[in-house]
Amino acid sequence: MLTSEPPYRDPAVLSAIEPGDVTAAPPDVSQEIRPLTNHSSPGHSKPRKAFPVLGIDYTHVRIPFEISLWILLACLMKLGFHVIPSVSNIVPESCLLIVVGLLVGGLIKGVGESPPILKSDIFFLFLLPPIILDAGYFLPLRQFTENLGTILIFAVVGTLWNAFFLGGLMYAVCQISGTGLNHIGLLANLLFGSIISAVDPVAVLAVFEEIHINELLHILVFGESLLNDAVTVVLYHLFEEYANFDQVTVTDIVLGFLSFFVVSLGGVFVGVVYGVIAAFTSRFTSHIRVIEPLFVFLYSYMAYLSAELFHLSGIMALIASGVVMRPYVEANISHKSHTTIKYFLKMWSSVSETLIFIFLGVSTVAGQHYWNWTFVISTLIFCLIARVLGVLGLTWFINKFRIVKLTPKDQFIIAYGGLRGAIAFSLGYLLDYEHFGMRDMFLTAIITVIFFTVFVQGMTIRPLVDLLAVKKKQETKRSINEEIHTQFLDHLLTGIEDICGHYGHHHWKDKLNRFNKKYMKKCLIAGERSKEPQLIAFYHKMEMKQAIELVESGGLGKIPSAISTVSMQNINPKALPVERILPALSKDKEEEIRKILRNNLQKTRQRLRSYNRHTLVADPYEEAWNQMLLRRQKARQLEQKMNNFLTVPSHKLDSPTMSRARIGSDPLAYEPKSDSENLPIITIDPASPQSPESVDLVNEELKGMSRLPPSPEEEEEEGLVMHVKESSSPGTDDVFTPGAGDSPSNQRMMRCLSDPGPRPAPEEGEPFIPKGQ
Amino acid sequence: MGSSNSMPEEIQELADKTGFTLEQIEHLHRRFKQISGDQPTIRKESFDRIPDLEFNPIRSKIVRAFFDKRNLRQASVGLTDEINFEDFLTIMSYFRPIEMNMDEEQLDHFRKEKLKFLFHMYDSDNDGKITLHEYRKVVEELLSGNPHLEKESARSIADGAMMEAASICVGQMEPDQVYEGITFEDFLKMWQGIDIDTKMHVRFLNMEPIAHCH
């Protein structure tokens, strides 16, 4: 097969080429200057060449150079398409990329070189896995398992139907005299049918990504394209083996049937094993976070290769390993690693997809074609008919068992979305000439079908979706409410099922979850997180996400409105019964004070923000920092007991000066508790905001409190220990002075001096500013 | 209906009222007898016979829902002590899957019924809204399967969820506005994203009897 493609793709061949062999290199390779090494001269009789200052050695870097050039071309193309938005709205990216491939192929051919063809090895070993891993790792598991029955029926029965229907009909066509196709036997036709009948995940992904169709349809077509790999593998090998014998015995059929189960279940098993190993490994990576993503990629790739090793379904192994490892790995790895994994997978799959489509175009130009009108046209027509009939028939059968029936609109989209792609091409390419002389004709037909489905169906599916008003994907943000409700509903339905005695979907899911919690999580998740229930994990994830969003947006941008205006005050204004303060340790008193202060400071800070943004010139970094602290403070506050000793209700905000005046002048606002000998009294001088004197005042008061026994946490005490800052000047929000105690409340304490504090309602108990100062 | 020779007319009546098929009613009747131990009515304790229900964190709420008068379409509120087969069927009818031949109005009504059932499960004190306290209880129960968890986590989740609900239903709030609780309309709003019709159903096609029943 070396004659049909240039040798540069095959490293084994290249190594056989001597470095000085100019004929193997493309014409633009200039002379190589090998100073001194190749000289076989015995002595110094050869004239000395001048020392080469500049030299060119192309063959040395040839392979990586050309590979990089191709990838760079792919990326630049992707870039280019998005610069011109009008084109990408009408034509899906895959079409544009094929056209680019055609152009590039034509260009190379025009120059006189033979353009590279997409070799099957390269495709199956390097280009396909990233796409499948990306799909498998981020598979929406809930929808997938809910529709698993439907997907399996479409994948297995649908593909079988397609293959046999198409193969049989093509055989019939070949028998028609006058077409010149009589030499193609039944099995060869069936083989052809099995190659062309599989829906291609790459093409489906490429087209469906852009049309944002509703999740049900997306998962049906996409799931089908993933799971039909097992069927394709079995059929392909079966027919390839026996195509030349023109007769298949019953034993072979039975064996083929068996091998289907072996291939699919074996692939899944391999994937699960690698997934569990990966999850287990990730348990111990807490000290070397940097290589965590690499484990995910390597284990998945090994799963794929191991499955391919045994002729099992590599795609199913890859999907299974991604699905199995994901929940455990995500619980173990750091957030950055998670982001890295996400971005690397997206990047690789994106580049792979682009390269595949470009190479499809190039291969079309480069390959040898044999065009036979009858064969090609009839293939095309029968493909479409087979798909439509298959979908219709299967849906009629499936709808008997589904709760949510598939409407005719859905069926149309499923049938129309059955795109063929590069897998079919590569499988066809793998056929060898000796056994399959009509390989070129097959390839031509395959390419025609691919072009048709990608161009015609790919381009028209979007206007059709709009025309038929198919439900689109709803961009809903996952909210904590939804999570609570969904879990509640799950438990409720499980309970009802148990009461009915019906061991249905929910019952088994619940059993699996319990098994998971009891055994798997303990082994595979590190540390405390193994016991974390799903709701808590979800909540933490959301809080984290919001905090990161806030910091990233710089704090100046739009703050999620859910958080900014609705605070605890809005939903829980009633004072919880004031607990009589038992003669507790002063540590508790400190806690109280701290909480009160935080409560008040945080609220006023919140409100004052609106003034700050417009009136004061705020340093953006500092603003973001403050926001971050605010958010964290809020989060911490939420986690504390709400049985605060004081819940100070808010009041209408006056201007800062007014409030300050009010506090200063209203001696009756606060009364110290009678039994509060241990209460450290904090005196606040409202007159001079943030002046060092007022700080001293507070400090001295505190220092004078001998009744305050030193507790171990006073060192890092956040509310009551004040370091005097000599360099502070009034009016600056000096957040970053080192040594000022970098606890957030410390800084807030500073601000307290200028912020108004809310007044407690008269019936509130615990004051914090003593009467009469 | 403890006798085994049930009258076809009665069954037909029940079928019309609740929407089940005759076959499903037969199944459910067998199940009812198993739970009740051949008694005509079941009480809360009868649900202890179902072993699988032990693991369910919201077990008490589910059992309670069976005895909630609002769900049984009775005029009064509160809990009743025992329910008969017809009441049992009424509760089960909330979990019927939707049928193709329903029109828009029926679908909407069906949907509201299911959501009302859920709402009653959250709103235990029958005051028509889910207060923060009740919501906290719900979250605590959901997390009750993890004994080592602190109460604060449940509370903070409930608080966060309540705030989110407030912002969805009311939008921007002044600092001194108070959000009383989630009313049924707000509840509907929150569930808009989730397709309740397709989710809240149990297949009644084939059921296995409990293998063991003390």
Side-chain angles (χ1 to χ4, degrees):
Chain A
M1 288 230 210
L2 283 167
T3 50
S4 52
E5 62 252 304
Y8 80 92
R9 281 266 167 209
D10 194 345
V13 176
L14 193 62
S15 57
I17 303 173
E18 293 160 43
D21 193 337
V22 186
T23 53
D28 56 343
V29 171
S30 50
Q31 74 280 21
E32 305 154 39
I33 299 169
R34 300 250 173 211
L36 307 173
T37 47
N38 272 354
H39 285 185
S40 49
S41 59
H44 302 288
S45 51
K46 231 185 173 145
R48 264 181 70 200
K49 281 193 188 156
F51 188 78
V53 176
L54 195 63
I56 297 182
D57 184 5
Y58 184 63
T59 52
H60 186 61
V61 298
R62 182 176 179 181
I63 299 175
F65 192 81
E66 288 182 358
I67 294 176
S68 308
L69 266 186
W70 278 108
I71 299 181
L72 196 59
L73 172 73
C75 299
L76 288 173
M77 284 302 115
K78 259 185 119 65
L79 209 66
F81 294 148
H82 288 282
V83 168
I84 320 167
S86 55
V87 184
S88 58
N89 278 340
I90 310 171
V91 185
E93 223 176 75
S94 38
C95 304
L96 290 172
L97 288 169
I98 294 185
V99 169
V100 166
L102 288 172
L103 288 174
V104 171
L107 205 68
I108 299 183
K109 209 165 193 180
V111 175
E113 279 292 304
S114 54
I117 301 187
L118 183 65
K119 264 188 77 172
S120 301
D121 276 347
I122 308 277
F123 176 74
F124 279 116
L125 292 181
F126 298 114
L127 291 178
L128 189 61
I131 303 178
I132 305 294
L133 180 59
D134 179 39
Y137 196 77
F138 294 110
L139 196 66
L141 202 57
R142 216 189 156 87
Q143 279 109 351
F144 189 73
T145 47
E146 277 174 15
N147 294 297
L148 193 59
T150 314
I151 294 177
L152 276 177
I153 290 183
F154 273 126
V156 178
V157 180
T159 313
L160 282 173
W161 156 260
N162 275 351
F164 283 103
F165 184 77
L166 189 67
L169 277 184
M170 288 313 294
Y171 180 64
V173 164
C174 287
Q175 295 308 312
I176 300 174
S177 56
T179 53
L181 300 167
N182 289 7
H183 55 285
I184 308 177
L186 173 66
L187 285 173
N189 274 309
L190 284 177
L191 176 61
F192 177 71
S194 68
I195 294 177
I196 197 79
S197 64
V199 176
D200 188 78
V202 180
V204 163
L205 257 182
V207 170
F208 271 53
E209 280 290 296
E210 297 182 359
I211 59 179
H212 298 298
I213 210 164
N214 68 52
E215 285 178 346
L216 172 67
L217 286 178
H218 188 225
I219 199 69
L220 282 180
V221 182
F222 184 59
E224 178 197 344
S225 70
L226 288 176
L227 294 186
N228 64 17
D229 182 59
V231 180
T232 312
V233 165
V234 170
L235 282 180
Y236 182 81
H237 283 127
L238 186 70
F239 290 133
E240 197 199 10
E241 275 290 310
Y242 298 113
N244 296 313
F245 299 113
D246 261 343
Q247 209 183 7
V248 177
T249 64
V250 181
T251 339
D252 296 327
I253 297 183
V254 169
L255 285 177
F257 191 67
L258 273 180
S259 92
F260 166 71
F261 285 105
V262 168
V263 163
S264 52
L265 294 177
V268 171
F269 176 71
V270 168
V272 167
V273 165
Y274 273 99
V276 169
I277 298 178
F280 190 65
T281 312
S282 72
R283 186 180 165 180
F284 303 106
T285 56
S286 49
H287 298 292
I288 316 179
R289 295 277 183 197
V290 195
I291 56 174
E292 275 172 343
L294 210 51
F295 280 119
V296 171
F297 301 141
L298 285 175
Y299 276 116
S300 309
Y301 194 47
M302 290 287 288
Y304 180 76
L305 293 176
S306 311
E308 288 286 319
L309 180 66
F310 295 107
H311 276 301
L312 304 173
S313 165
I315 290 184
M316 295 186 87
L318 208 46
I319 305 270
S321 81
V323 162
V324 165
M325 76 166 76
R326 186 179 176 198
Y328 308 109
V329 161
E330 285 202 341
N332 282 331
I333 62 179
S334 70
H335 184 78
K336 284 193 187 144
S337 301
H338 175 75
T339 313
T340 310
I341 291 180
K342 190 165 89 164
Y343 275 102
F344 261 87
L345 282 179
K346 297 281 175 214
M347 179 184 81
W348 272 329
S349 67
S350 176
V351 167
S352 269
E353 195 183 290
T354 314
L355 274 176
I356 288 177
F357 281 115
I358 290 186
F359 269 115
L360 263 183
V362 173
S363 309
T364 311
V365 173
Q368 298 165 332
H369 293 292
Y370 181 79
W371 182 272
N372 182 312
W373 278 99
T374 331
F375 192 79
V376 173
I377 299 295
S378 45
T379 307
L380 196 57
I381 297 177
F382 290 142
C383 256
L384 294 173
I385 296 180
R387 176 78 182 159
V388 170
L389 286 180
V391 169
L392 282 178
L394 287 175
T395 318
W396 173 82
F397 177 70
I398 290 170
N399 269 345
K400 290 185 198 271
F401 299 100
R402 279 183 66 92
I403 300 286
V404 183
K405 317 277 182 202
L406 294 173
T407 64
K409 247 193 264 178
D410 295 335
Q411 293 171 36
F412 176 74
I413 298 290
I414 295 176
Y416 209 67
L419 307 173
R420 314 305 202 266
I423 290 187
F425 179 80
S426 304
L427 283 177
Y429 196 78
L430 274 178
L431 300 171
D432 59 34
Y433 269 118
E434 297 162 27
H435 296 133
F436 299 96
M438 71 297 283
R439 176 179 170 270
D440 290 330
M441 190 171 65
F442 281 179
L443 275 180
T444 314
I446 292 174
I447 288 187
T448 314
V449 173
I450 294 179
F451 270 41
F452 182 84
T453 56
V454 171
F455 276 93
V456 175
Q457 284 177 237
M459 266 201 270
T460 53
I461 199 169
R462 197 189 306 199
L464 275 174
V465 161
D466 291 333
L467 194 70
L468 292 174
V470 179
K471 255 202 296 183
K472 295 239 177 152
K473 182 156 68 162
Q474 291 160 321
E475 295 292 340
T476 48
K477 232 169 51 140
R478 291 278 288 168
S479 68
I480 186 73
N481 270 309
E482 254 187 54
E483 185 71 17
I484 292 179
H485 292 322
T486 316
Q487 280 212 3
F488 191 84
L489 195 58
D490 273 344
H491 286 302
L492 171 65
L493 290 173
T494 311
I496 297 289
E497 276 189 3
D498 289 332
I499 292 177
C500 287
H502 171 241
Y503 289 149
H505 187 75
H506 289 98
H507 179 90
W508 293 116
K509 206 160 80 152
D510 191 58
K511 270 216 160 95
L512 187 67
N513 277 339
R514 266 188 277 136
F515 170 74
N516 189 17
K517 194 155 83 159
K518 211 163 154 198
Y519 299 110
M520 302 286 280
K521 278 195 179 169
K522 288 220 176 71
C523 296
L524 299 176
I525 299 185
E528 270 310 302
R529 296 204 63 181
S530 63
K531 302 200 207 85
E532 196 177 50
Q534 194 191 347
L535 199 56
I536 307 260
F538 183 80
Y539 184 65
H540 283 321
K541 215 184 346 183
M542 278 202 51
E543 287 279 287
M544 177 97 163
K545 224 190 281 190
Q546 274 165 0
I548 290 180
E549 263 173 36
L550 200 56
V551 174
E552 274 181 0
S553 69
L556 292 173
K558 187 170 73 94
I559 293 143
S561 55
I563 310 297
S564 64
T565 56
V566 179
S567 65
M568 279 309 298
Q569 275 315 105
N570 296 110
I571 58 177
N572 191 12
K574 292 196 265 290
L576 297 167
V578 178
E579 298 190 5
R580 293 297 127 217
I581 296 175
L582 313 163
L585 306 168
S586 59
K587 186 167 140 185
D588 282 354
K589 294 297 191 311
E590 294 170 28
E591 265 274 298
E592 286 172 41
I593 306 298
R594 224 185 306 151
K595 279 178 199 163
I596 297 159
L597 285 175
R598 274 205 212 115
N599 242 336
N600 301 322
L601 293 170
Q602 187 219 323
K603 287 194 201 82
T604 54
R605 179 93 197 107
Q606 228 177 348
R607 274 176 249 127
L608 274 188
R609 220 194 323 110
S610 56
Y611 295 98
N612 276 348
R613 242 191 283 153
H614 300 299
T615 55
L616 295 181
V617 177
D619 171 36
Y621 187 64
E622 178 239 327
E623 265 286 302
W625 182 251
N626 295 343
Q627 290 303 329
M628 189 63 217
L629 294 176
L630 195 69
R631 278 293 297 129
R632 243 195 282 146
Q633 192 52 49
K634 203 174 189 68
R636 221 180 298 145
Q637 187 198 356
L638 281 183
E639 286 169 20
Q640 290 160 8
K641 288 191 177 172
M642 275 313 290
N643 282 340
N644 264 343
F645 299 116
L646 262 204
T647 315
V648 185
S650 60
H651 71 299
K652 211 81 180 105
L653 178 67
D654 299 335
S655 72
T657 24
M658 277 299 295
S659 318
R660 245 180 279 141
R662 196 193 315 129
I663 289 178
S665 63
D666 192 350
L668 296 169
Y670 310 103
E671 278 136 41
K673 275 187 72 72
S674 45
D675 56 342
S676 60
E677 299 87 31
N678 291 337
L679 190 65
I681 307 217
I682 300 171
T683 312
I684 295 182
D685 177 4
S688 46
Q690 287 201 268
S691 58
E693 300 87 68
S694 46
V695 176
D696 278 344
L697 198 64
V698 176
N699 239 0
E700 275 156 28
E701 279 292 324
L702 293 178
K703 281 194 199 130
M705 295 297 297
S706 53
R707 278 169 271 157
L708 192 67
S711 56
E713 51 181 274
E714 201 167 323
E715 263 42 61
E716 38 103 12
E717 168 50 50
E718 289 166 291
L720 298 175
V721 174
M722 298 287 298
H723 303 271
V724 179
K725 298 192 319 188
E726 279 80 25
S727 54
S728 76
S729 49
T732 49
D733 285 344
D734 197 349
V735 182
F736 300 113
T737 313
D742 41 358
S743 61
S745 299
N746 214 350
Q747 291 143 7
R748 294 233 185 72
M749 190 57 145
M750 294 292 292
R751 249 164 243 119
C752 160
L753 305 175
S754 59
D755 290 353
R759 275 168 53 189
E763 68 266 16
E764 294 300 316
E766 193 89 48
F768 76 104
I769 292 184
K771 143 161 79 170
Q773 294 201 358
Chain B
M1 278 181 66
S3 58
S4 45
N5 49 336
S6 25
M7 315 272 284
E9 296 92 52
E10 286 181 29
I11 301 186
Q12 190 55 50
E13 220 181 276
L14 281 173
D16 293 333
K17 227 195 278 187
T18 55
F20 286 120
T21 67
L22 295 183
E23 196 187 274
Q24 289 169 340
I25 295 187
E26 292 282 316
H27 276 267
L28 285 170
H29 184 52
R30 267 200 293 269
R31 187 65 185 178
F32 182 82
K33 279 206 288 188
Q34 273 177 336
I35 299 177
S36 70
D38 282 332
Q39 300 293 314
T41 60
I42 49 179
R43 306 174 152 268
K44 282 206 183 134
E45 296 77 40
S46 327
F47 284 101
D48 294 339
R49 289 167 189 260
I50 308 172
D52 285 321
L53 216 50
E54 294 292 318
F55 298 110
N56 206 316
I58 57 170
R59 182 183 181 282
S60 55
K61 275 211 189 301
I62 298 178
V63 173
R64 199 173 169 283
F66 272 84
F67 295 90
D68 193 336
K69 284 195 189 159
R70 297 174 291 176
N71 293 332
L72 296 172
R73 306 213 174 108
Q74 293 171 11
S76 51
V77 289
L79 294 182
T80 172
D81 282 331
E82 46 186 30
I83 56 175
N84 59 14
F85 182 59
E86 189 178 325
D87 298 325
F88 185 72
L89 277 185
T90 315
I91 303 284
M92 283 298 173
S93 71
Y94 285 106
F95 294 94
R96 273 172 45 229
I98 56 170
E99 284 149 36
M100 293 289 272
N101 53 4
M102 288 186 171
D103 56 14
E104 269 304 309
E105 200 190 302
Q106 272 182 316
L107 266 178
D108 198 45
H109 176 74
F110 204 40
R111 193 169 184 273
K112 279 221 171 83
E113 288 282 302
K114 293 191 192 236
L115 284 173
K116 239 196 184 316
F117 184 83
L118 274 181
F119 188 75
H120 290 154
M121 286 185 80
Y122 283 86
D123 179 25
S124 37
D125 63 1
N126 303 333
D127 62 351
K129 50 183 187 289
I130 307 174
T131 58
L132 181 65
H133 184 68
E134 285 166 348
Y135 212 26
R136 278 184 188 161
K137 278 225 111 27
V138 169
V139 178
E140 271 170 28
E141 273 198 24
L142 270 181
L143 294 173
S144 61
N146 311 277
H148 64 279
L149 216 57
E150 292 178 359
K151 278 191 131 194
E152 281 81 63
S153 320
R155 283 212 188 138
S156 54
I157 292 182
D159 295 344
M162 198 72 173
M163 285 203 282
E164 197 185 75
S167 64
I168 293 177
C169 305
V170 182
Q172 305 285 328
M173 291 187 78
E174 292 301 309
D176 46 359
Q177 255 182 302
V178 175
Y179 183 63
E180 294 289 329
I182 307 177
T183 61
F184 187 56
E185 285 70 39
D186 297 340
F187 195 66
L188 285 177
K189 251 191 255 183
M190 285 204 303
W191 274 90
Q192 251 170 10
I194 317 174
D195 217 0
I196 186 76
D197 334 359
T198 60
K199 292 205 171 164
M200 185 164 159
H201 63 81
V202 176
R203 280 177 221 250
F204 291 106
L205 294 175
N206 56 337
M207 300 188 286
E208 297 164 32
I210 325 177
H212 37 92
C213 220
H214 322 287

